[in-house]
Amino acid sequence: MNKETLIQVQKRIQPYIHRTPVLTSELINTISGTQVYFKCENFQKMGAFKMRGATNAILNLSQEQREKGVVTHSSGNFAQALSLAAKKLGVKAYIVMPKNAPQVKKNAVKTYNGEIIECESTPIAREAMAKKVLQEKKATFIHPSNDDQVIFGNSTAAIELLEDYPDLDYIIAPVGGGGLIAGTALAAKYFSKSCKVVGGEPKNVDDAFRSKQSGKIETTNEGTTIADGLRTFLGDRNFPIIQKEVECIITVEEEEIIEAMKLIWERMKIIVEPSSAVAFAAVLKDKEKFKNKKVGVIISGGNVDVTNLPF
Amino acid sequence: MNKETLIQVQKRIQPYIHRTPVLTSELINTISGTQVYFKCENFQKMGAFKMRGATNAILNLSQEQREKGVVTHSSGNFAQALSLAAKKLGVKAYIVMPKNAPQVKKNAVKTYNGEIIECESTPIAREAMAKKVLQEKKATFIHPSNDDQVIFGNSTAAIELLEDYPDLDYIIAPVGGGGLIAGTALAAKYFSKSCKVVGGEPKNVDDAFRSKQSGKIETTNEGTTIADGLRTFLGDRNFPIIQKEVECIITVEEEEIIEAMKLIWERMKIIVEPSSAVAFAAVLKDKEKFKNKKVGVIISGGNVDVTNLPF
């Protein structure tokens, strides 16, 4: 792939996604000691950047593949994103989801016409069920984060941000499965002069931080985190990009995530998920590094239960 | 006053305020059966439209008046707005506030360098204290809503909205003291062909609804409302405008306000005050009236205690 690949991706997904706004706040800049540019993917269709990767992955399929549908396993934002992108493109989406997933998440998928296929709540059961659907329906499997087309689609959030603010010194994105940070790193590589990309990750599930140190994909996470969307592992498609193109990963404590989230809610007046707050928490964690710099922060999404907040 | 007055007002306050974005949502449109354009004054400086009127009122003063400062009585958004506008313009602001006002509101005023002058928590004590400050400091009193320059300043939110969307059929604004709805009505009168203005008001404090019916300013409100910023009365400067230029006032129940607020939070991913939700609740209340129309909704502000929500 090269810059032209991403230009083509940006062009083809553009009719199906929002170009999201970039918001700033004098108070946030004063508090953080830096110039922060929030790329608001919480305003994206279905409320998260995942719409970009899901749309691109489906657009990349042949007509024959599209007729047979797509399948993924996710109970989070990617389940909704793939369902909505498939609906918009007239494609069937099968979503493998644990039986015990919250009803609100099942409902969200149903709103977008996704067909839920329930399984036991273990990684093995999930993989087995996805494989079964693949074979029975001849549908194409699309991984939420470890898929080239998903990564390329995700890159368009940072491409837009760099179009609006070409002289950013840094872009920070949260790290979960690695699909967003890898896409962001490709965007900075091809669409900026010298913008560096940094990941923010909860200390409690710091597999990406450890993977970058050890040079191989680490797949243990003992802890839990309020940023539950980030409790996933890197994969062989995105890890090499992260290893090569991401400057570093900053880990943050749970209370730092909650504090950053509250600060964004109160000062920016926007609703962001805990996962999004992780990226801004990383800026606050290392104020010296980002002092007086121009820092883009990818607000990854805004799907949060407003009746059950951590503050 | 005429159209030229408002053009001059818009020009002179422009360096001190944000031009706020207008947001839309397909889901909100589907739910309401209309095309809704949210003018996001929750993203305004200090978090509410009041910054516009306060700035314009101070800019209207002579140099001699500015040197002596400004005074108002408010424990809400106008106290913050006047403090911040005064700070930006190098003017001293005295804020008369009841002793028992919440500390968080006092702190907000102090952040913007406003000088708080405490009084007993009765309207009479408040008026007396404001008069005392007027006499001692020779400061100029600026009323939060019943002041021509405040009304003209407030009109600029709707002027911007009509610049962005000239063919709106309606603009809805919440009604409290009447300064926002009066300004909005002037904007529609001078800057649109046929856009009508409608007010939204909590049923529990429906003094504006009753005033419009009786033809005189009603000054009783027995009830309380979650939209506490709207528990104020109309005045002799704004009531004539409201009487003449506002089509009607739609009253809404408390649970309708909360439902509208939750809908905006969840679907738009933005934080709005209960008072702002009143305007959108009015749209939902009379779906037949607004069916398939283009409706602007003024989101008046976003200053809400996120640790104490009604849902």
Side-chain angles (χ1 to χ4, degrees):
Chain A
M1 64 84 58
N2 53 32
K3 183 171 179 174
E4 189 52 37
T5 312
L6 299 185
I7 290 171
Q8 290 306 321
V9 165
Q10 187 182 22
K11 211 184 232 167
R12 77 176 176 186
I13 70 170
Q14 183 263 319
Y16 306 99
I17 61 155
H18 287 312
R19 184 177 182 115
T20 52
V22 177
L23 297 182
T24 60
S25 154
E26 285 176 25
L27 264 161
I28 290 276
N29 290 347
T30 304
I31 291 165
S32 61
T34 185
Q35 300 277 108
V36 188
Y37 300 84
F38 290 97
K39 176 65 173 170
C40 289
E41 289 295 295
N42 53 333
F43 295 154
Q44 189 51 264
K45 284 178 200 282
M46 56 62 55
F49 76 94
K50 301 252 178 192
M51 187 64 187
R52 296 175 183 268
T55 302
N56 189 50
I58 297 178
L59 284 170
N60 192 54
L61 300 180
S62 68
Q63 192 50 42
E64 204 193 327
Q65 286 175 308
R66 290 195 203 187
E67 280 163 17
K68 299 205 165 102
V70 290
V71 57
T72 196
H73 46 61
S74 162
S75 54
N77 282 330
F78 195 74
Q80 293 180 49
L82 195 70
S83 301
L84 180 57
K87 184 185 172 196
K88 282 185 179 288
L89 294 163
V91 171
K92 180 90 193 162
Y94 304 98
I95 311 294
V96 175
M97 209 182 252
K99 258 191 234 183
N100 60 359
Q103 192 59 41
V104 58
K105 298 203 172 187
K106 292 182 187 171
N107 290 346
V109 165
K110 284 178 191 163
T111 304
Y112 300 129
N113 290 5
E115 183 176 329
I116 294 171
I117 297 172
E118 294 190 338
C119 66
E120 297 299 324
S121 93
T122 66
I124 291 168
R126 196 181 66 173
E127 300 280 345
M129 183 58 84
K131 205 167 271 179
K132 190 164 167 247
V133 177
L134 277 187
Q135 287 164 349
E136 279 179 13
K137 312 281 186 185
K138 313 277 183 227
T140 304
F141 180 74
I142 298 180
H143 192 280
S145 55
N146 195 43
D147 177 298
D148 286 352
Q149 297 302 325
V150 169
I151 294 167
F152 298 163
N154 292 346
S155 75
T156 59
I159 293 172
E160 289 175 9
L161 177 57
L162 286 162
E163 282 173 353
D164 291 347
Y165 297 94
D167 57 347
L168 293 180
D169 299 302
Y170 289 96
I171 300 179
I172 327 268
V175 186
L180 176 61
I181 187 89
T184 304
L186 293 178
K189 178 177 179 174
Y190 291 112
F191 292 81
S192 82
K193 268 195 194 138
S194 60
C195 178
K196 295 180 189 119
V197 169
V198 168
E201 190 176 37
K203 185 87 184 288
N204 283 0
V205 294
D206 65 345
D207 57 285
F209 176 81
R210 285 181 283 113
S211 299
K212 212 159 149 52
Q213 289 209 315
S214 70
K216 62 184 178 54
I217 298 168
E218 303 289 341
T219 55
T220 53
N221 270 339
E222 301 298 329
T224 59
T225 173
I226 185 176
D228 59 347
L230 306 184
R231 288 183 63 192
T232 44
F233 301 115
L234 304 181
D236 61 339
R237 304 310 305 161
N238 56 48
F239 178 61
I241 302 170
I242 294 167
Q243 185 69 330
K244 190 164 167 226
E245 312 291 351
V246 172
E247 191 192 69
C248 66
I249 289 170
I250 296 173
T251 59
V252 293
E253 306 287 347
E254 292 300 296
E255 54 270 41
E256 292 169 329
I257 300 170
I258 295 169
E259 191 196 354
M261 180 172 162
K262 188 158 176 267
L263 210 50
I264 295 173
W265 282 49
E266 289 185 334
R267 298 304 183 180
M268 305 292 297
K269 314 294 181 192
I270 59 174
I271 289 176
V272 303
E273 298 171 354
S275 298
S276 301
V278 167
F280 181 53
V283 176
L284 297 175
K285 182 88 180 201
D286 196 347
K287 283 190 183 174
E288 205 45 51
K289 181 184 181 74
F290 300 113
K291 196 172 177 182
N292 298 327
K293 302 289 185 191
K294 293 188 174 179
V295 179
V297 168
I298 312 272
I299 295 292
S300 50
N303 291 333
V304 50
D305 180 358
V306 300
T307 65
N308 183 20
L309 298 174
F311 41 72
Chain B
M1 65 85 58
N2 54 31
K3 182 171 179 174
E4 188 54 36
T5 312
L6 298 186
I7 290 171
Q8 290 307 319
V9 165
Q10 187 182 22
K11 211 183 231 168
R12 77 176 176 185
I13 70 171
Q14 183 263 319
Y16 306 99
I17 61 155
H18 287 312
R19 184 177 181 112
T20 53
V22 177
L23 297 183
T24 61
S25 155
E26 284 176 27
L27 264 161
I28 290 276
N29 290 347
T30 303
I31 291 165
S32 62
T34 184
Q35 301 275 109
V36 189
Y37 301 84
F38 291 98
K39 176 65 174 170
C40 288
E41 289 294 297
N42 52 335
F43 295 153
Q44 188 51 266
K45 284 179 199 280
M46 56 61 57
F49 76 94
K50 301 251 177 192
M51 186 64 189
R52 297 177 183 267
T55 302
N56 188 50
I58 297 178
L59 285 171
N60 193 54
L61 300 180
S62 68
Q63 192 50 42
E64 203 193 327
Q65 285 174 310
R66 290 196 203 185
E67 279 163 16
K68 299 206 165 102
V70 290
V71 56
T72 197
H73 47 60
S74 162
S75 54
N77 282 330
F78 194 75
Q80 294 180 48
L82 196 70
S83 301
L84 180 57
K87 184 184 171 194
K88 284 186 179 286
L89 294 164
V91 171
K92 180 89 192 164
Y94 305 98
I95 312 294
V96 176
M97 209 183 252
K99 260 190 229 179
N100 60 358
Q103 193 59 40
V104 60
K105 299 204 170 186
K106 292 183 187 169
N107 289 346
V109 166
K110 285 179 191 161
T111 304
Y112 300 129
N113 291 4
E115 184 177 326
I116 295 171
I117 297 171
E118 293 189 341
C119 66
E120 297 300 323
S121 93
T122 67
I124 292 168
R126 199 181 65 172
E127 299 280 344
M129 183 58 85
K131 203 167 272 179
K132 191 163 167 244
V133 177
L134 276 187
Q135 287 164 346
E136 279 178 13
K137 312 280 186 185
K138 313 276 181 229
T140 305
F141 180 74
I142 298 179
H143 191 280
S145 55
N146 195 42
D147 176 297
D148 286 352
Q149 297 302 325
V150 168
I151 294 167
F152 298 163
N154 292 346
S155 76
T156 58
I159 293 173
E160 289 175 10
L161 176 57
L162 286 163
E163 282 172 353
D164 292 348
Y165 296 94
D167 57 346
L168 293 178
D169 299 301
Y170 288 96
I171 301 179
I172 328 268
V175 187
L180 177 61
I181 188 88
T184 303
L186 292 178
K189 178 177 180 175
Y190 291 112
F191 292 81
S192 82
K193 267 193 196 142
S194 61
C195 178
K196 295 179 189 119
V197 170
V198 168
E201 191 176 37
K203 185 88 185 286
N204 284 0
V205 295
D206 66 345
D207 57 285
F209 176 81
R210 285 181 283 114
S211 300
K212 212 161 149 50
Q213 289 209 315
S214 70
K216 61 183 177 55
I217 298 168
E218 302 289 341
T219 55
T220 53
N221 270 338
E222 302 298 328
T224 59
T225 173
I226 186 177
D228 59 349
L230 306 183
R231 288 183 63 193
T232 45
F233 301 114
L234 304 181
D236 62 339
R237 303 309 306 160
N238 55 49
F239 178 60
I241 303 170
I242 294 167
Q243 186 69 327
K244 191 166 166 221
E245 312 291 352
V246 172
E247 189 191 73
C248 67
I249 289 170
I250 296 172
T251 59
V252 293
E253 305 288 347
E254 293 299 295
E255 53 270 43
E256 292 169 329
I257 300 170
I258 294 168
E259 192 196 353
M261 179 172 162
K262 187 156 176 268
L263 210 51
I264 296 173
W265 282 49
E266 289 184 335
R267 298 305 183 179
M268 306 290 298
K269 315 294 181 193
I270 59 174
I271 289 177
V272 304
E273 299 172 354
S275 299
S276 302
V278 168
F280 182 53
V283 177
L284 297 175
K285 182 90 181 198
D286 196 348
K287 283 190 183 175
E288 206 44 53
K289 181 183 180 74
F290 301 112
K291 196 172 176 182
N292 296 328
K293 302 289 185 191
K294 292 189 174 178
V295 179
V297 168
I298 312 271
I299 296 292
S300 50
N303 291 333
V304 50
D305 180 358
V306 299
T307 66
N308 183 19
L309 297 174
F311 40 71

